Amino acid sequence: MVQLVVKVAESEGSIPEWMLLEMQGHLESPGEEQLAGNFIGDLHFNKKGIPIIIIGHHILYGKVANLDKPYIVLIKNSKSTTSDPSISDSGDLNDSVAMETDNPKDDGSDGIYYKVSAAIKRKIVFKTRPKPIITYVPKK
């Protein structure tokens, strides 16, 4: 099973929502090339809201499902090495999506905190086998 992350349009001032993209099978790249950071395919939604992904000359139809338990994407930061404007000089976390750890200050954690980057509440599931895209070519 292959799982990828898709960003969802967000409302201003809220935590961004991402969607998990789940496909059955394997995604293989030609040669020894890694898939990370490369173009895989086009994701579209039709008028009925059904997700469609086109990878090469194949098309897959899926459905949107809610996750049983949502995921939160956290970024580990340090107050001493960050240039984040949400951290003031007094050490307060002014950003509503940042949280402090439960570690005491004397354990050498040096002000490590975790910032909520996104929430993943839904997933797009592609269970069916890919169908080839065949264009009609008239014979002469």
Side-chain angles (χ1 to χ4, degrees), residues 87-109:
I87 307 299
S88 66
D89 291 337
S90 64
D92 294 333
L93 298 175
N94 297 329
D95 197 353
S96 62
V97 296
M99 66 179 191
E100 289 188 25
T101 61
D102 293 333
N103 296 336
K105 295 291 182 187
D106 58 16
D107 69 349
S109 64

Side-chain angles (χ1 to χ4, degrees), residues 108-129:
S109 64
D110 195 29
I112 294 174
Y113 71 98
Y114 295 88
K115 185 172 180 181
V116 176
S117 177
I120 302 174
K121 299 176 184 176
R122 299 180 290 167
K123 66 179 176 179
I124 303 173
V125 182
F126 294 97
K127 288 185 179 180
T128 59
R129 293 182 63 87

Side-chain angles (χ1 to χ4, degrees), residues 8 18 20 27 51-52 57-58 70 78 82-83 91 94 97 108 119 126 133:
V8 178
W18 292 358
L20 194 64
L27 278 178
I52 299 168
H57 296 289
H58 295 88
S78 173
T82 185
S83 61
N94 297 329
V97 296
F126 294 97
I133 299 174

